[in-house]
Structures are given as C-alpha cells and as structure tokens.
Amino acid sequence: MRQVYVNGDYLPETEARVSVFDRGFLFADAVYEVTLVLEGKLVDFAGHMRRLRRSLGELGMAFALTDADLLEIHRELIRRNDIEEGLVYLQVTRGAADRDFLFPAEETPNTVVLFTQKKSLLDSPLAERGQHIVTVEDLRWRRCDIKTVQLLYPSMAKMEAKSRGADDAWLVKDGYVTEGSSNNAYIITPDGTVVTRDLSTDILHGITRQAVLQCAEDLQLRIEERPFTVEEAENAVEAFSTSASGLVNPVVMINGHEVGRGKPGPIAARLRQIYIERSRASAV
C-alpha cells in the first residue's frame, strides 16, 4: 500500500483525507506539478518548482513550504514507496473554507497532497509504435499557462480521442494547434525545422518542452516557436509530443493521415534518447 503525504503527515493511502470544503474540490482552486522519477531520482525538479511558484503567484495563492521542504517530501515518498521509475504528483489548494466565490482569508492553511505512481516510462510500447492523434476544438479557459487542476476538458478530449480509435488529442484554436491534451505538440517540416507553439497564455509552459528544445538546439536543429495549422501537422515529415510522463513521444498519424512514413522518425527518436541521457545525469 502506498504512503502518501497530506498536510504534514505520511499516511497509508486508505487513511488519507481532505475536507469536503476544500477549494480544490469545490472550485478547482488548486495547482499541481508532476515530476518524473528515474533511478529513484527527480528529473527537472528545480524547473517544476519554478513553475509551481509562478502558478501560485498568478492565482494569488500564498504558500509557506520552501523548495527545500518540498524536495525533502518528494524524496521521502520515493524512499517509502520504493520508486525507481515513475512519478511524484504534488497538489496545492487554497485550503478549506465555507463555500464562497470570494477567496478565504489569506491565513487559511493550504491543503498540500503528494503521492507517487510506479510507472514504466523508458520502455514505452507507445513510443515504439508512435501515437495516433486526432484534433479537437480547444475550449479550455484562456489561462492555460497556469497549471491548475481544471482538467475536465482535457479529460473529455482524451475520451473523444479514445472513442475515435486514437491515442490522444491535439487541441485546435482558430485553425492552429495549441498543444496536446496533456502535453506540448511539435512538428518537423520537410526542411528539418522543429516547430512548436510559442509561449503564451494559450499553452502550458512545459518543463520537458524547455529541456527538449535545448536538446534540439544542441543538435543544431533549426527551431521555430510559432503556431502551426492542422494541415501543416498532417503534412509534416515527423511529429511528436513532450511531457513529464511521455518524455518525447513520436506521433505517426493525425486525423487518419500518416505523418511522414507512418513510423516514428529519427529526429524524435534522437531527441528522446538525448533527453533521457541528460535526465539521468542531472536528476537529484
């Protein structure tokens, strides 16, 4: 049975409790981060903490724990649950208070929850095969740069993809791909350029995205951060997505159109390899 962290206590998962008045439950008034674990160590931890602080700041949510506190909690959960490969999930809410659209008093204690998931991420059959993607309209709220727990629409998009026989959905706004349902989206043009949406409130500022773009730059690949159309994606020579859980995940079909030769391409494969190597070397 997993040990989880709830508000300062390590508990068996069956004993973990959060108030029914918690604002994360009532209003999705909460932010989260998911950090990759490789060989028992945390990948891109500092980047996840920077994004956590940014999300909290954008929502005006006070938070007392330091990055050092959170690192200790992450490591303790990895130790207690014997995680060699998988994920640590962190969620911070504005706390529990009587239901009111107005925020509670600033001194209201946060609710802080962390738990682990054992998951095989390096040996991925999906990455070997390549993802089949469909596109759906992007109907999310317009602050997608804040990593909140408002994930109902992405969940619906994933379910639509599943109902259409696909692995995942890419979201489209005004004819242009914003990102995947839970990942950043990329194409590679016939001249070898890596294209991904530029940072704005339309997409999540992915930690894995940042690391993979650095890998691409080090390989001296041309990079364009700009919107791209669904038609461009369908006619790309390669496509892929990035996320903490998917790493670099090739895309081989979009809306029934084969991408390139319909197989994972060499550039995505090379970026995945380099990202894994660097993640192992820099994990804490």
Side-chain angles (χ1 to χ4, degrees):
M1 183 181 297
R2 279 180 297 186
Q3 294 283 309
V4 303
Y5 176 94
V6 181
N7 295 333
D9 295 320
Y10 295 93
L11 302 165
E13 61 182 87
T14 54
E15 297 178 17
R17 300 288 185 271
V18 174
S19 170
V20 296
F21 298 108
D22 190 85
R23 288 184 61 88
F25 174 65
L26 295 176
F27 292 99
D29 190 1
V31 299
Y32 76 103
E33 287 290 338
V34 178
T35 304
L36 171 65
V37 178
L38 290 181
E39 299 172 350
K41 295 183 178 181
L42 295 153
V43 174
D44 294 327
F45 181 78
H48 285 287
M49 293 304 99
R50 283 193 297 271
R51 187 171 62 185
L52 174 69
R53 301 293 172 184
R54 181 182 183 277
S55 294
L56 291 165
E58 292 297 306
L59 296 180
M61 190 183 300
F63 186 52
L65 293 179
T66 67
D67 289 0
D69 294 331
L70 292 172
L71 178 58
E72 182 180 348
I73 296 166
H74 277 70
R75 285 175 167 169
E76 181 64 16
L77 282 176
I78 290 170
R79 186 190 68 78
R80 287 176 180 243
N81 294 298
D82 191 26
I83 304 296
E84 281 295 309
E85 187 173 331
L87 306 164
V88 180
Y89 178 90
L90 159 67
Q91 180 168 309
V92 181
T93 88
R94 208 179 299 269
D98 280 345
R99 187 178 185 277
D100 192 328
F101 280 85
L102 295 176
F103 295 166
E106 286 191 10
E107 60 270 19
T108 303
N110 298 108
T111 298
V112 184
V113 172
L114 290 92
F115 60 81
T116 59
Q117 288 182 308
K118 286 186 177 181
K119 191 172 183 180
S120 178
L121 301 169
L122 299 184
D123 183 15
S124 168
L126 186 59
E128 289 290 325
R129 167 173 68 81
Q131 300 176 91
H132 293 194
I133 298 294
V134 294
T135 57
V136 301
E137 188 177 359
D138 192 344
L139 296 176
R140 299 172 299 170
W141 81 314
R142 294 273 63 89
R143 289 305 308 272
C144 300
D145 56 309
I146 306 174
K147 198 170 177 68
T148 74
V149 299
Q150 296 184 63
L151 297 175
L152 179 57
Y153 188 74
S155 180
M156 293 171 68
K158 284 185 182 292
M159 289 304 297
E160 180 174 342
K162 181 179 179 181
S163 72
R164 292 164 61 181
D167 301 301
D168 203 356
W170 280 6
L171 309 177
V172 178
K173 178 185 176 186
D174 300 327
Y176 292 91
V177 174
T178 49
E179 58 187 339
S181 62
S182 59
N183 43 64
N184 292 120
Y186 309 72
I187 61 171
I188 298 174
T189 63
D191 68 357
T193 301
V194 178
V195 182
T196 191
R197 186 94 175 199
D198 52 312
L199 295 179
S200 70
T201 58
D202 288 331
I203 70 168
L204 182 68
H205 300 187
I207 304 305
T208 309
R209 173 191 185 276
Q210 180 181 356
V212 170
L213 287 180
Q214 183 61 57
C215 293
E217 184 176 325
D218 292 345
L219 287 175
Q220 298 185 329
L221 296 172
R222 183 181 176 189
I223 300 167
E224 291 183 3
E225 295 183 63
R226 61 165 176 84
F228 57 86
T229 66
V230 175
E231 183 179 6
E232 280 186 277
E234 292 172 349
N235 291 299
V237 296
E238 289 189 46
F240 61 94
S241 64
T242 62
S243 67
S245 59
L247 314 183
V248 179
N249 217 343
V251 171
V252 298
M253 186 171 291
I254 300 175
N255 292 333
H257 298 269
E258 284 192 348
V259 176
R261 298 180 180 179
K263 298 179 180 179
I267 295 177
R270 181 63 175 144
L271 288 172
R272 181 180 175 89
Q273 177 188 12
I274 293 176
Y275 175 70
I276 291 171
E277 290 172 356
R278 292 187 177 182
S279 295
R280 280 176 161 154
S282 62
V284 297

